[in-house]
Amino acid sequence: MGFRKSFSILAISTALALTLSACTSDNKAPSASSASPSSPASSAPSASASDSGDANSERLEKIGLDSNVKFKETRKITVEIYDRGNDGGSKPEDNFYTQYIKDGMLRDHNVEVTFVPVPRWTEGEALNNLLAGNQAPDVSITYSYPTIQTYANMGGILDLAPLVEENKDILPDMWEYLTEANIYWDRDPSTGTLWALESRLNTLNRINTFVREDWLKKLNIEAPTTLQEFESMLVAFKDNASTLLGSDADKMIPFSTSFDVGWRADHLTTSYVPDNMTDRDVFVYGFDDRHLLFPNYKEGIRTLNKWYNQGLVWKDFPLYPAGDKTEDNLMKAGYVGAFIHNWDYPYRDGDEGIHANLQRLVGPDAAYIAIEPFANDAGVYKKFLSGPVDRKIFFPATNKEPVASLLYINWISKLENRVFLQFGEEGVTHEKLPDGSLKTIAATGEKIMNSPANIDYTITSNGIDLGNPDLTVKSMANAYAGVDARFIEVANQITTHDGRVGKNANVGEIKAEEGQGQALKDKRDAFLDKAVVASVDQFDSVYDSGMKDYLTTGGQAIIDERAAAWEKYFGTETMLK
């Protein structure tokens, strides 16, 4: 395939899993029932131990819990759940898995749970509306920390710092799984306030570039390893549309993207970013998670604009909003030659997914495979990866049951609960193989999962984790029903190859970001779409005008404040240790 540094899935994933596993072994929260070390069973407790036990019992009694950490009187909480609008999916707030959670929380803690669905693809707007109307779920989640900060400044978010400390003894699973690193990731270094907990990203896999492997073979083209080879491949797809699609040649789409150009062209655009970019500049200019403000980003969009004007890009990509399935259906039908998307995107969703439909409609050899064609100025296939954090979990000020809500987070972090939610019932949604690993069985009916490995329910965890690194890696390779493991191996290897992992440059609140998250996102998406579809001679004008608007309506103020904050905490240093 022409890949450089071709490592196996087991080598890379095992190392990653071991690293993450090692993180959880430190700073474990003490068990509520831990015994004194080296004390004989018949020994009487010391006065200090007895006093501590009495104090703990009194504290539990005060907040209404018995010695088993179960409320004496039933408490009620609401929990946010994403609604992905899946065709053939179940109701996200009422299904087999929500019932498992409800039954477990009622049994273990006497807490009634009600799920509140929020549209996944417009979650920022929806959550803003809920918070503004004092109707946000008690346990809320978002990918947008500025949204949380905005409402925290208005008194609309609970400070979790005292809550997680005061209740540490009854939250052992949360502390062990998230560790202090994720729990305190967002703690303000000046005020000590903590508005959100960061869930754990078990793998740093992000996105990949995919091409039709069968088309490469049919045209006798090697998998491209350079930008020029990739472009030549797209031209070949267009020029040979009749060979590849027959009577459907007019439906040929050499390269597809979506309205979210920033996400969907990321490997292309970041290949233009200089390899020697400093940690300081990554922090100052990296608040837009599409890397819009990174140096030389514009040239990546210029390339996409050139391809669009050459008829190599899906002409209708800006017309379809988030969650629309039109593009997926074009891929399933076999009309799309290449695209950039989530690292395993074509292999998801079992029988309903792109891979299964492509093979069913086109033929058994039809498949997308991940490739690595976009090297930067140093010849490195740089990927800007996240730190080991994912969604942000927070409690709105309207939450009247913070302890019950923390117990929910602890319950959802417990290993056996996470594993059940990620794999479901043995013999129904997974099978256990002789080596102890688990293999997913495509689910139907009430036990279908609306999100990969039920990540919408395992809110403290994104990515398969069986508590055993070896079994986790093997199960990861087994997790795609009906997909040849080699496709997963290649995708897994490439997505983090030459990756640059995000660091936590925590400087506290950036006030200029308040209220800007959704507004700047909308501006970015709109002007990038316009820049891609502009005529070549109008590209600079359209792009520069859009960027100017982005900067003057909030972007530049954020840059300036971030630069000042970096200097305050890190001085003239340009790299984090």
Side-chain angles (χ1 to χ4, degrees), residues 109-255:
H109 298 300
N110 197 20
V111 174
E112 285 186 9
V113 176
T114 300
F115 287 95
V116 179
V118 171
R120 168 65 185 95
W121 311 117
T122 54
E123 64 109 355
E125 298 172 27
L127 196 56
N128 267 298
N129 291 335
L130 289 169
L131 284 164
N134 292 320
Q135 296 178 323
D138 296 321
V139 179
S140 289
I141 56 174
T142 183
Y143 286 94
S144 172
Y145 190 78
T147 296
I148 299 172
Q149 186 68 67
T150 296
Y151 285 92
N153 290 344
M154 295 189 292
I157 307 294
L158 290 183
D159 180 6
L160 295 176
L163 289 169
V164 296
E165 283 293 339
E166 292 167 5
N167 296 287
K168 189 172 185 178
D169 60 326
I170 62 172
L171 306 170
D173 299 286
M174 184 189 84
W175 277 91
E176 180 178 353
Y177 190 62
L178 293 184
T179 76
E180 287 192 5
N182 283 51
I183 287 173
Y184 289 129
W185 187 276
D186 295 316
R187 181 167 57 179
D188 191 293
S190 297
T191 65
T193 52
L194 181 66
W195 304 123
L197 309 177
E198 293 281 350
S199 64
R200 176 170 156 176
L201 188 63
N202 289 317
T203 62
L204 301 181
N205 296 4
R206 192 167 180 264
I207 62 174
N208 267 321
T209 304
F210 297 96
V211 302
R212 283 282 296 273
E213 183 184 46
D214 53 318
W215 284 11
L216 293 178
K217 292 178 179 178
K218 201 164 189 177
L219 298 179
N220 196 28
I221 299 173
E222 289 292 321
T225 59
T226 68
L227 174 63
Q228 185 54 56
E229 289 176 359
F230 187 84
E231 183 175 310
S232 297
M233 177 195 73
L234 297 183
V235 172
F237 288 167
K238 180 185 177 184
D239 291 347
N240 292 278
S242 295
T243 300
L244 297 172
L245 292 177
S247 60
D248 288 325
D250 61 325
K251 296 182 175 64
M252 162 62 70
I253 300 173
F255 184 81

Side-chain angles (χ1 to χ4, degrees), residues 336-450:
V336 176
F339 64 95
I340 301 171
H341 213 311
N342 297 338
W343 80 275
D344 59 349
Y345 194 74
Y347 315 123
R348 295 178 176 182
D349 300 330
D351 285 344
E352 299 300 319
I354 292 168
H355 183 83
N357 275 277
L358 191 59
Q359 297 208 319
R360 188 161 51 241
L361 295 173
V362 178
D365 294 328
Y368 287 103
I369 192 164
I371 61 170
E372 196 169 30
F374 305 122
N376 65 14
D377 58 338
V380 176
Y381 294 95
K382 185 75 72 184
K383 287 93 175 175
F384 288 90
L385 306 176
S386 168
V389 296
D390 191 57
R391 293 150 293 181
K392 297 88 177 70
I393 305 168
F394 68 98
F395 298 171
T398 49
N399 183 330
K400 304 304 181 186
E401 296 289 352
V403 175
S405 300
L406 283 173
L407 287 174
Y408 179 88
I409 295 174
N410 188 76
W411 193 93
I412 217 76
S413 300
K414 193 183 295 287
L415 178 62
E416 58 264 37
N417 296 333
R418 285 189 282 109
V419 171
F420 184 86
L421 288 169
Q422 288 183 338
F423 288 94
E425 288 185 319
E426 185 173 357
V428 180
T429 54
H430 77 271
E431 60 178 310
K432 191 170 186 177
L433 302 183
D435 62 4
S437 66
L438 306 184
K439 182 177 182 180
T440 301
I441 300 172
T444 57
E446 65 173 1
K447 294 174 184 177
I448 195 169
M449 296 185 183
N450 292 315

Side-chain angles (χ1 to χ4, degrees), residues 81-84 86 88-103 113 115 117 420-421 444-451 454 456-457:
I81 184 65
Y82 284 143
D83 183 351
R84 296 175 180 267
N86 292 340
S90 62
K91 291 181 67 174
E93 74 277 19
D94 183 17
N95 57 50
F96 175 75
Y97 301 102
T98 58
Q99 195 60 50
Y100 170 80
I101 296 170
K102 290 177 181 179
D103 291 345
V113 176
F115 287 95
F420 184 86
L421 288 169
T444 57
E446 65 173 1
K447 294 174 184 177
I448 195 169
M449 296 185 183
N450 292 315
S451 55
N454 263 337
D456 293 344
Y457 298 110

Side-chain angles (χ1 to χ4, degrees), residues 245-319:
L245 292 177
S247 60
D248 288 325
D250 61 325
K251 296 182 175 64
M252 162 62 70
I253 300 173
F255 184 81
S256 186
T257 190
S258 78
F259 79 97
D260 188 358
V261 169
W263 178 257
R264 294 290 303 280
D266 185 78
H267 278 185
L268 169 65
T269 52
T270 55
S271 71
Y272 284 88
V273 176
D275 190 64
N276 63 356
M277 191 175 183
T278 65
D279 288 342
R280 182 236 180 231
D281 286 351
V282 168
F283 169 74
V284 170
Y285 300 104
F287 59 90
D288 183 288
D289 64 357
R290 271 47 172 166
H291 309 124
L292 173 72
L293 300 167
F294 282 9
N296 223 32
Y297 182 94
K298 177 182 177 182
E299 297 312 305
I301 301 299
R302 186 190 301 278
T303 296
L304 202 56
N305 167 264
K306 180 182 74 170
W307 291 350
Y308 186 88
N309 281 282
Q310 291 175 342
L312 302 178
V313 178
W314 181 33
K315 63 181 179 63
D316 294 331
F317 79 86
L319 303 180

Side-chain angles (χ1 to χ4, degrees), residues 469-506:
D470 184 54
L471 292 181
T472 296
V473 169
K474 292 177 179 177
S475 299
M476 179 180 172
N478 298 335
Y480 299 84
V483 180
D484 190 318
R486 74 181 177 90
F487 292 113
I488 309 303
E489 291 179 18
V490 172
N492 182 72
Q493 182 268 315
I494 288 176
T495 188
T496 55
H497 177 223
D498 286 343
R500 179 170 176 168
V501 178
K503 300 176 182 178
N504 187 14
N506 189 359

Side-chain angles (χ1 to χ4, degrees), residues 35-41 43:
S36 301
S38 305
S39 298
S43 297

